[in-house]
PDB file of all heavy atoms in Angstrom:
ATOM      1  N   THR A 213     -10.679   0.970  10.024  1.00 95.00           N
ATOM      2  CA  THR A 213     -11.770   1.742  10.635  1.00 95.00           C
ATOM      3  C   THR A 213     -12.070   3.025   9.871  1.00 95.00           C
ATOM      4  O   THR A 213     -13.063   3.679  10.148  1.00 95.00           O
ATOM      5  CB  THR A 213     -11.422   2.088  12.094  1.00 95.00           C
ATOM      6  OG1 THR A 213     -10.188   2.816  12.100  1.00 95.00           O
ATOM      7  CG2 THR A 213     -11.286   0.824  12.927  1.00 95.00           C
ATOM      8  N   ALA A 214     -11.202   3.379   8.903  1.00 96.00           N
ATOM      9  CA  ALA A 214     -11.390   4.594   8.107  1.00 96.00           C
ATOM     10  C   ALA A 214     -10.791   4.355   6.728  1.00 96.00           C
ATOM     11  O   ALA A 214     -10.008   3.418   6.544  1.00 96.00           O
ATOM     12  CB  ALA A 214     -10.685   5.763   8.787  1.00 96.00           C
ATOM     13  N   PRO A 215     -11.133   5.198   5.746  1.00 96.00           N
ATOM     14  CA  PRO A 215     -10.477   5.077   4.447  1.00 96.00           C
ATOM     15  C   PRO A 215      -8.961   5.175   4.630  1.00 96.00           C
ATOM     16  O   PRO A 215      -8.475   5.972   5.429  1.00 96.00           O
ATOM     17  CB  PRO A 215     -11.016   6.264   3.654  1.00 96.00           C
ATOM     18  CG  PRO A 215     -12.303   6.606   4.307  1.00 96.00           C
ATOM     19  CD  PRO A 215     -12.111   6.286   5.763  1.00 96.00           C
ATOM     20  N   SER A 216      -8.239   4.357   3.893  1.00 94.00           N
ATOM     21  CA  SER A 216      -6.802   4.266   4.116  1.00 94.00           C
ATOM     22  C   SER A 216      -6.114   3.778   2.856  1.00 94.00           C
ATOM     23  O   SER A 216      -6.766   3.376   1.890  1.00 94.00           O
ATOM     24  CB  SER A 216      -6.538   3.294   5.273  1.00 94.00           C
ATOM     25  OG  SER A 216      -5.171   3.213   5.557  1.00 94.00           O
ATOM     26  N   PHE A 217      -4.781   3.805   2.876  1.00 96.00           N
ATOM     27  CA  PHE A 217      -3.999   3.187   1.806  1.00 96.00           C
ATOM     28  C   PHE A 217      -2.702   2.651   2.377  1.00 96.00           C
ATOM     29  O   PHE A 217      -2.252   3.068   3.441  1.00 96.00           O
ATOM     30  CB  PHE A 217      -3.744   4.151   0.645  1.00 96.00           C
ATOM     31  CG  PHE A 217      -2.838   5.304   0.962  1.00 96.00           C
ATOM     32  CD1 PHE A 217      -1.460   5.199   0.809  1.00 96.00           C
ATOM     33  CD2 PHE A 217      -3.367   6.507   1.398  1.00 96.00           C
ATOM     34  CE1 PHE A 217      -0.628   6.266   1.087  1.00 96.00           C
ATOM     35  CE2 PHE A 217      -2.541   7.591   1.678  1.00 96.00           C
ATOM     36  CZ  PHE A 217      -1.171   7.461   1.527  1.00 96.00           C
ATOM     37  N   VAL A 218      -2.111   1.698   1.656  1.00 96.00           N
ATOM     38  CA  VAL A 218      -0.850   1.073   2.046  1.00 96.00           C
ATOM     39  C   VAL A 218       0.120   1.174   0.868  1.00 96.00           C
ATOM     40  O   VAL A 218      -0.262   0.915  -0.273  1.00 96.00           O
ATOM     41  CB  VAL A 218      -1.050  -0.415   2.421  1.00 96.00           C
ATOM     42  CG1 VAL A 218       0.277  -1.092   2.739  1.00 96.00           C
ATOM     43  CG2 VAL A 218      -2.016  -0.552   3.588  1.00 96.00           C
ATOM     44  N   THR A 219       1.356   1.569   1.168  1.00 97.00           N
ATOM     45  CA  THR A 219       2.412   1.635   0.163  1.00 97.00           C
ATOM     46  C   THR A 219       3.612   0.848   0.671  1.00 97.00           C
ATOM     47  O   THR A 219       4.046   1.040   1.805  1.00 97.00           O
ATOM     48  CB  THR A 219       2.831   3.095  -0.098  1.00 97.00           C
ATOM     49  OG1 THR A 219       1.682   3.844  -0.502  1.00 97.00           O
ATOM     50  CG2 THR A 219       3.894   3.175  -1.181  1.00 97.00           C
ATOM     51  N   VAL A 220       4.146  -0.047  -0.153  1.00 98.00           N
ATOM     52  CA  VAL A 220       5.344  -0.822   0.174  1.00 98.00           C
ATOM     53  C   VAL A 220       6.444  -0.363  -0.778  1.00 98.00           C
ATOM     54  O   VAL A 220       6.220  -0.279  -1.987  1.00 98.00           O
ATOM     55  CB  VAL A 220       5.095  -2.336   0.020  1.00 98.00           C
ATOM     56  CG1 VAL A 220       6.312  -3.131   0.470  1.00 98.00           C
ATOM     57  CG2 VAL A 220       3.855  -2.763   0.806  1.00 98.00           C
ATOM     58  N   TYR A 221       7.637  -0.072  -0.229  1.00 98.00           N
ATOM     59  CA  TYR A 221       8.727   0.462  -1.041  1.00 98.00           C
ATOM     60  C   TYR A 221      10.070   0.124  -0.407  1.00 98.00           C
ATOM     61  O   TYR A 221      10.128  -0.261   0.762  1.00 98.00           O
ATOM     62  CB  TYR A 221       8.562   1.972  -1.215  1.00 98.00           C
ATOM     63  CG  TYR A 221       8.513   2.756   0.070  1.00 98.00           C
ATOM     64  CD1 TYR A 221       9.630   3.454   0.526  1.00 98.00           C
ATOM     65  CD2 TYR A 221       7.361   2.797   0.850  1.00 98.00           C
ATOM     66  CE1 TYR A 221       9.602   4.162   1.713  1.00 98.00           C
ATOM     67  CE2 TYR A 221       7.323   3.501   2.036  1.00 98.00           C
ATOM     68  CZ  TYR A 221       8.442   4.191   2.453  1.00 98.00           C
ATOM     69  OH  TYR A 221       8.410   4.892   3.630  1.00 98.00           O
ATOM     70  N   PRO A 222      11.174   0.255  -1.153  1.00 98.00           N
ATOM     71  CA  PRO A 222      12.485  -0.098  -0.607  1.00 98.00           C
ATOM     72  C   PRO A 222      12.844   0.787   0.586  1.00 98.00           C
ATOM     73  O   PRO A 222      12.647   2.007   0.539  1.00 98.00           O
ATOM     74  CB  PRO A 222      13.459   0.159  -1.761  1.00 98.00           C
ATOM     75  CG  PRO A 222      12.624   0.243  -2.985  1.00 98.00           C
ATOM     76  CD  PRO A 222      11.266   0.687  -2.553  1.00 98.00           C
ATOM     77  N   SER A 223      13.333   0.203   1.632  1.00 98.00           N
ATOM     78  CA  SER A 223      13.733   0.946   2.825  1.00 98.00           C
ATOM     79  C   SER A 223      14.814   1.964   2.463  1.00 98.00           C
ATOM     80  O   SER A 223      15.747   1.661   1.723  1.00 98.00           O
ATOM     81  CB  SER A 223      14.251  -0.029   3.882  1.00 98.00           C
ATOM     82  OG  SER A 223      14.555   0.648   5.060  1.00 98.00           O
ATOM     83  N   GLY A 224      14.663   3.192   2.964  1.00 96.00           N
ATOM     84  CA  GLY A 224      15.641   4.239   2.712  1.00 96.00           C
ATOM     85  C   GLY A 224      15.359   5.051   1.461  1.00 96.00           C
ATOM     86  O   GLY A 224      15.948   6.105   1.265  1.00 96.00           O
ATOM     87  N   ALA A 225      14.463   4.595   0.608  1.00 97.00           N
ATOM     88  CA  ALA A 225      14.091   5.327  -0.602  1.00 97.00           C
ATOM     89  C   ALA A 225      12.954   6.293  -0.275  1.00 97.00           C
ATOM     90  O   ALA A 225      12.253   6.130   0.728  1.00 97.00           O
ATOM     91  CB  ALA A 225      13.652   4.360  -1.698  1.00 97.00           C
ATOM     92  N   ALA A 226      12.767   7.284  -1.129  1.00 98.00           N
ATOM     93  CA  ALA A 226      11.618   8.175  -0.963  1.00 98.00           C
ATOM     94  C   ALA A 226      10.337   7.377  -1.177  1.00 98.00           C
ATOM     95  O   ALA A 226      10.268   6.523  -2.071  1.00 98.00           O
ATOM     96  CB  ALA A 226      11.706   9.309  -1.970  1.00 98.00           C
ATOM     97  N   ARG A 227       9.340   7.640  -0.342  1.00 97.00           N
ATOM     98  CA  ARG A 227       8.064   6.936  -0.486  1.00 97.00           C
ATOM     99  C   ARG A 227       7.391   7.375  -1.785  1.00 97.00           C
ATOM    100  O   ARG A 227       7.236   8.560  -2.039  1.00 97.00           O
ATOM    101  CB  ARG A 227       7.157   7.231   0.703  1.00 97.00           C
ATOM    102  CG  ARG A 227       5.823   6.522   0.610  1.00 97.00           C
ATOM    103  CD  ARG A 227       5.004   6.634   1.879  1.00 97.00           C
ATOM    104  NE  ARG A 227       5.022   7.908   2.538  1.00 97.00           N
ATOM    105  CZ  ARG A 227       4.120   8.880   2.353  1.00 97.00           C
ATOM    106  NH1 ARG A 227       3.134   8.703   1.494  1.00 97.00           N
ATOM    107  NH2 ARG A 227       4.217   9.998   3.022  1.00 97.00           N
ATOM    108  N   PRO A 228       6.984   6.419  -2.620  1.00 96.00           N
ATOM    109  CA  PRO A 228       6.316   6.777  -3.879  1.00 96.00           C
ATOM    110  C   PRO A 228       4.933   7.363  -3.628  1.00 96.00           C
ATOM    111  O   PRO A 228       4.342   7.162  -2.560  1.00 96.00           O
ATOM    112  CB  PRO A 228       6.222   5.459  -4.637  1.00 96.00           C
ATOM    113  CG  PRO A 228       6.546   4.391  -3.672  1.00 96.00           C
ATOM    114  CD  PRO A 228       7.185   4.997  -2.474  1.00 96.00           C
ATOM    115  N   THR A 229       4.418   8.065  -4.611  1.00 95.00           N
ATOM    116  CA  THR A 229       3.080   8.652  -4.474  1.00 95.00           C
ATOM    117  C   THR A 229       1.983   7.647  -4.811  1.00 95.00           C
ATOM    118  O   THR A 229       0.820   7.900  -4.537  1.00 95.00           O
ATOM    119  CB  THR A 229       2.933   9.888  -5.380  1.00 95.00           C
ATOM    120  OG1 THR A 229       3.213   9.511  -6.723  1.00 95.00           O
ATOM    121  CG2 THR A 229       3.886  10.987  -4.944  1.00 95.00           C
ATOM    122  N   ALA A 230       2.332   6.517  -5.407  1.00 95.00           N
ATOM    123  CA  ALA A 230       1.349   5.480  -5.734  1.00 95.00           C
ATOM    124  C   ALA A 230       1.205   4.515  -4.562  1.00 95.00           C
ATOM    125  O   ALA A 230       2.158   4.244  -3.843  1.00 95.00           O
ATOM    126  CB  ALA A 230       1.784   4.716  -6.973  1.00 95.00           C
ATOM    127  N   SER A 231       0.004   3.996  -4.381  1.00 96.00           N
ATOM    128  CA  SER A 231      -0.246   3.037  -3.302  1.00 96.00           C
ATOM    129  C   SER A 231      -0.380   1.632  -3.873  1.00 96.00           C
ATOM    130  O   SER A 231      -0.623   1.446  -5.061  1.00 96.00           O
ATOM    131  CB  SER A 231      -1.519   3.415  -2.542  1.00 96.00           C
ATOM    132  OG  SER A 231      -2.630   3.363  -3.411  1.00 96.00           O
ATOM    133  N   ASN A 232      -0.239   0.635  -2.988  1.00 96.00           N
ATOM    134  CA  ASN A 232      -0.431  -0.762  -3.373  1.00 96.00           C
ATOM    135  C   ASN A 232      -1.821  -1.266  -3.015  1.00 96.00           C
ATOM    136  O   ASN A 232      -2.330  -2.189  -3.646  1.00 96.00           O
ATOM    137  CB  ASN A 232       0.608  -1.653  -2.692  1.00 96.00           C
ATOM    138  CG  ASN A 232       2.010  -1.272  -3.084  1.00 96.00           C
ATOM    139  OD1 ASN A 232       2.740  -0.696  -2.281  1.00 96.00           O
ATOM    140  ND2 ASN A 232       2.402  -1.539  -4.313  1.00 96.00           N
ATOM    141  N   LEU A 233      -2.419  -0.676  -1.982  1.00 95.00           N
ATOM    142  CA  LEU A 233      -3.782  -1.022  -1.563  1.00 95.00           C
ATOM    143  C   LEU A 233      -4.530   0.260  -1.248  1.00 95.00           C
ATOM    144  O   LEU A 233      -3.977   1.160  -0.597  1.00 95.00           O
ATOM    145  CB  LEU A 233      -3.778  -1.862  -0.281  1.00 95.00           C
ATOM    146  CG  LEU A 233      -3.252  -3.280  -0.314  1.00 95.00           C
ATOM    147  CD1 LEU A 233      -3.166  -3.824   1.103  1.00 95.00           C
ATOM    148  CD2 LEU A 233      -4.152  -4.160  -1.135  1.00 95.00           C
ATOM    149  N   ASN A 234      -5.781   0.363  -1.675  1.00 96.00           N
ATOM    150  CA  ASN A 234      -6.665   1.463  -1.306  1.00 96.00           C
ATOM    151  C   ASN A 234      -7.870   0.849  -0.611  1.00 96.00           C
ATOM    152  O   ASN A 234      -8.526  -0.021  -1.179  1.00 96.00           O
ATOM    153  CB  ASN A 234      -7.097   2.248  -2.543  1.00 96.00           C
ATOM    154  CG  ASN A 234      -5.920   2.923  -3.191  1.00 96.00           C
ATOM    155  OD1 ASN A 234      -5.272   3.754  -2.586  1.00 96.00           O
ATOM    156  ND2 ASN A 234      -5.622   2.547  -4.421  1.00 96.00           N
ATOM    157  N   LEU A 235      -8.136   1.306   0.603  1.00 94.00           N
ATOM    158  CA  LEU A 235      -9.100   0.613   1.453  1.00 94.00           C
ATOM    159  C   LEU A 235     -10.270   1.483   1.871  1.00 94.00           C
ATOM    160  O   LEU A 235     -10.110   2.677   2.112  1.00 94.00           O
ATOM    161  CB  LEU A 235      -8.384   0.142   2.727  1.00 94.00           C
ATOM    162  CG  LEU A 235      -7.126  -0.672   2.466  1.00 94.00           C
ATOM    163  CD1 LEU A 235      -6.197  -0.595   3.634  1.00 94.00           C
ATOM    164  CD2 LEU A 235      -7.529  -2.082   2.156  1.00 94.00           C
ATOM    165  N   ALA A 236     -11.407   0.844   1.994  1.00 95.00           N
ATOM    166  CA  ALA A 236     -12.591   1.458   2.576  1.00 95.00           C
ATOM    167  C   ALA A 236     -12.805   0.854   3.962  1.00 95.00           C
ATOM    168  O   ALA A 236     -12.313  -0.242   4.244  1.00 95.00           O
ATOM    169  CB  ALA A 236     -13.803   1.187   1.687  1.00 95.00           C
ATOM    170  N   PRO A 237     -13.535   1.547   4.841  1.00 96.00           N
ATOM    171  CA  PRO A 237     -13.796   0.987   6.176  1.00 96.00           C
ATOM    172  C   PRO A 237     -14.433  -0.400   6.099  1.00 96.00           C
ATOM    173  O   PRO A 237     -15.228  -0.691   5.205  1.00 96.00           O
ATOM    174  CB  PRO A 237     -14.759   1.996   6.796  1.00 96.00           C
ATOM    175  CG  PRO A 237     -14.451   3.280   6.101  1.00 96.00           C
ATOM    176  CD  PRO A 237     -14.110   2.881   4.694  1.00 96.00           C
ATOM    177  N   SER A 238     -14.038  -1.247   7.027  1.00 95.00           N
ATOM    178  CA  SER A 238     -14.572  -2.614   7.198  1.00 95.00           C
ATOM    179  C   SER A 238     -14.246  -3.552   6.041  1.00 95.00           C
ATOM    180  O   SER A 238     -14.824  -4.623   5.940  1.00 95.00           O
ATOM    181  CB  SER A 238     -16.080  -2.582   7.427  1.00 95.00           C
ATOM    182  OG  SER A 238     -16.389  -1.798   8.554  1.00 95.00           O
ATOM    183  N   GLN A 239     -13.327  -3.191   5.194  1.00 93.00           N
ATOM    184  CA  GLN A 239     -12.975  -4.007   4.037  1.00 93.00           C
ATOM    185  C   GLN A 239     -11.770  -4.885   4.364  1.00 93.00           C
ATOM    186  O   GLN A 239     -10.883  -4.493   5.119  1.00 93.00           O
ATOM    187  CB  GLN A 239     -12.631  -3.077   2.874  1.00 93.00           C
ATOM    188  CG  GLN A 239     -12.374  -3.735   1.561  1.00 93.00           C
ATOM    189  CD  GLN A 239     -12.102  -2.699   0.465  1.00 93.00           C
ATOM    190  OE1 GLN A 239     -11.551  -1.649   0.719  1.00 93.00           O
ATOM    191  NE2 GLN A 239     -12.486  -3.035  -0.745  1.00 93.00           N
ATOM    192  N   THR A 240     -11.735  -6.081   3.811  1.00 95.00           N
ATOM    193  CA  THR A 240     -10.539  -6.922   3.842  1.00 95.00           C
ATOM    194  C   THR A 240     -10.073  -7.057   2.403  1.00 95.00           C
ATOM    195  O   THR A 240     -10.835  -7.467   1.532  1.00 95.00           O
ATOM    196  CB  THR A 240     -10.846  -8.307   4.442  1.00 95.00           C
ATOM    197  OG1 THR A 240     -11.239  -8.125   5.799  1.00 95.00           O
ATOM    198  CG2 THR A 240      -9.629  -9.210   4.378  1.00 95.00           C
ATOM    199  N   LEU A 241      -8.804  -6.657   2.170  1.00 94.00           N
ATOM    200  CA  LEU A 241      -8.320  -6.601   0.794  1.00 94.00           C
ATOM    201  C   LEU A 241      -6.880  -7.087   0.713  1.00 94.00           C
ATOM    202  O   LEU A 241      -5.997  -6.522   1.343  1.00 94.00           O
ATOM    203  CB  LEU A 241      -8.404  -5.153   0.290  1.00 94.00           C
ATOM    204  CG  LEU A 241      -8.081  -4.919  -1.170  1.00 94.00           C
ATOM    205  CD1 LEU A 241      -9.117  -5.590  -2.073  1.00 94.00           C
ATOM    206  CD2 LEU A 241      -8.041  -3.426  -1.449  1.00 94.00           C
ATOM    207  N   PRO A 242      -6.622  -8.160  -0.066  1.00 96.00           N
ATOM    208  CA  PRO A 242      -5.248  -8.609  -0.308  1.00 96.00           C
ATOM    209  C   PRO A 242      -4.755  -8.074  -1.649  1.00 96.00           C
ATOM    210  O   PRO A 242      -5.545  -7.752  -2.540  1.00 96.00           O
ATOM    211  CB  PRO A 242      -5.389 -10.127  -0.359  1.00 96.00           C
ATOM    212  CG  PRO A 242      -6.752 -10.328  -0.955  1.00 96.00           C
ATOM    213  CD  PRO A 242      -7.598  -9.172  -0.471  1.00 96.00           C
ATOM    214  N   ASN A 243      -3.450  -7.993  -1.786  1.00 96.00           N
ATOM    215  CA  ASN A 243      -2.847  -7.629  -3.065  1.00 96.00           C
ATOM    216  C   ASN A 243      -1.429  -8.167  -3.116  1.00 96.00           C
ATOM    217  O   ASN A 243      -0.695  -8.083  -2.136  1.00 96.00           O
ATOM    218  CB  ASN A 243      -2.829  -6.109  -3.241  1.00 96.00           C
ATOM    219  CG  ASN A 243      -2.512  -5.698  -4.665  1.00 96.00           C
ATOM    220  OD1 ASN A 243      -2.791  -6.425  -5.608  1.00 96.00           O
ATOM    221  ND2 ASN A 243      -1.930  -4.525  -4.818  1.00 96.00           N
ATOM    222  N   MET A 244      -1.039  -8.702  -4.279  1.00 97.00           N
ATOM    223  CA  MET A 244       0.343  -9.119  -4.465  1.00 97.00           C
ATOM    224  C   MET A 244       1.144  -7.899  -4.898  1.00 97.00           C
ATOM    225  O   MET A 244       0.729  -7.159  -5.787  1.00 97.00           O
ATOM    226  CB  MET A 244       0.466 -10.200  -5.528  1.00 97.00           C
ATOM    227  CG  MET A 244       1.878 -10.725  -5.630  1.00 97.00           C
ATOM    228  SD  MET A 244       2.001 -12.071  -6.799  1.00 97.00           S
ATOM    229  CE  MET A 244       3.146 -11.353  -7.937  1.00 97.00           C
ATOM    230  N   VAL A 245       2.271  -7.700  -4.228  1.00 97.00           N
ATOM    231  CA  VAL A 245       3.116  -6.537  -4.464  1.00 97.00           C
ATOM    232  C   VAL A 245       4.503  -7.036  -4.857  1.00 97.00           C
ATOM    233  O   VAL A 245       5.067  -7.891  -4.177  1.00 97.00           O
ATOM    234  CB  VAL A 245       3.216  -5.684  -3.175  1.00 97.00           C
ATOM    235  CG1 VAL A 245       4.172  -4.539  -3.352  1.00 97.00           C
ATOM    236  CG2 VAL A 245       1.835  -5.195  -2.754  1.00 97.00           C
ATOM    237  N   ILE A 246       5.035  -6.508  -5.937  1.00 97.00           N
ATOM    238  CA  ILE A 246       6.426  -6.774  -6.294  1.00 97.00           C
ATOM    239  C   ILE A 246       7.189  -5.488  -6.028  1.00 97.00           C
ATOM    240  O   ILE A 246       6.868  -4.439  -6.599  1.00 97.00           O
ATOM    241  CB  ILE A 246       6.565  -7.222  -7.753  1.00 97.00           C
ATOM    242  CG1 ILE A 246       5.785  -8.518  -7.961  1.00 97.00           C
ATOM    243  CG2 ILE A 246       8.040  -7.391  -8.118  1.00 97.00           C
ATOM    244  CD1 ILE A 246       5.741  -9.017  -9.376  1.00 97.00           C
ATOM    245  N   VAL A 247       8.155  -5.560  -5.114  1.00 97.00           N
ATOM    246  CA  VAL A 247       8.848  -4.362  -4.658  1.00 97.00           C
ATOM    247  C   VAL A 247      10.354  -4.599  -4.630  1.00 97.00           C
ATOM    248  O   VAL A 247      10.809  -5.660  -4.204  1.00 97.00           O
ATOM    249  CB  VAL A 247       8.320  -3.932  -3.272  1.00 97.00           C
ATOM    250  CG1 VAL A 247       8.517  -4.997  -2.240  1.00 97.00           C
ATOM    251  CG2 VAL A 247       8.921  -2.630  -2.818  1.00 97.00           C
ATOM    252  N   PRO A 248      11.142  -3.614  -5.106  1.00 97.00           N
ATOM    253  CA  PRO A 248      12.596  -3.726  -4.964  1.00 97.00           C
ATOM    254  C   PRO A 248      12.974  -3.717  -3.486  1.00 97.00           C
ATOM    255  O   PRO A 248      12.264  -3.138  -2.656  1.00 97.00           O
ATOM    256  CB  PRO A 248      13.132  -2.470  -5.662  1.00 97.00           C
ATOM    257  CG  PRO A 248      12.010  -1.981  -6.506  1.00 97.00           C
ATOM    258  CD  PRO A 248      10.754  -2.398  -5.817  1.00 97.00           C
ATOM    259  N   VAL A 249      14.085  -4.335  -3.162  1.00 97.00           N
ATOM    260  CA  VAL A 249      14.580  -4.304  -1.784  1.00 97.00           C
ATOM    261  C   VAL A 249      15.765  -3.348  -1.712  1.00 97.00           C
ATOM    262  O   VAL A 249      16.457  -3.105  -2.704  1.00 97.00           O
ATOM    263  CB  VAL A 249      14.992  -5.709  -1.274  1.00 97.00           C
ATOM    264  CG1 VAL A 249      13.802  -6.637  -1.234  1.00 97.00           C
ATOM    265  CG2 VAL A 249      16.090  -6.303  -2.113  1.00 97.00           C
TER     266      VAL A 249
END
């Protein structure tokens, strides 16, 4: 419903400043993410 972003990262680690998805309102956006566990 608003501009947004999604970040996926290892649990317990500091959240990175880079995002995996950058979104605009009403958009549907997929992305493949490779993330350490």
Side-chain angles (χ1 to χ4, degrees):
T213 58
S216 182
F217 68 89
V218 176
T219 303
V220 185
Y221 58 102
S223 184
R227 180 171 40 94
T229 57
S231 62
N232 299 107
L233 291 172
N234 295 299
L235 307 156
S238 302
Q239 186 177 32
T240 296
L241 186 66
N243 193 28
M244 185 176 119
V245 175
I246 299 175
V247 60
V249 297

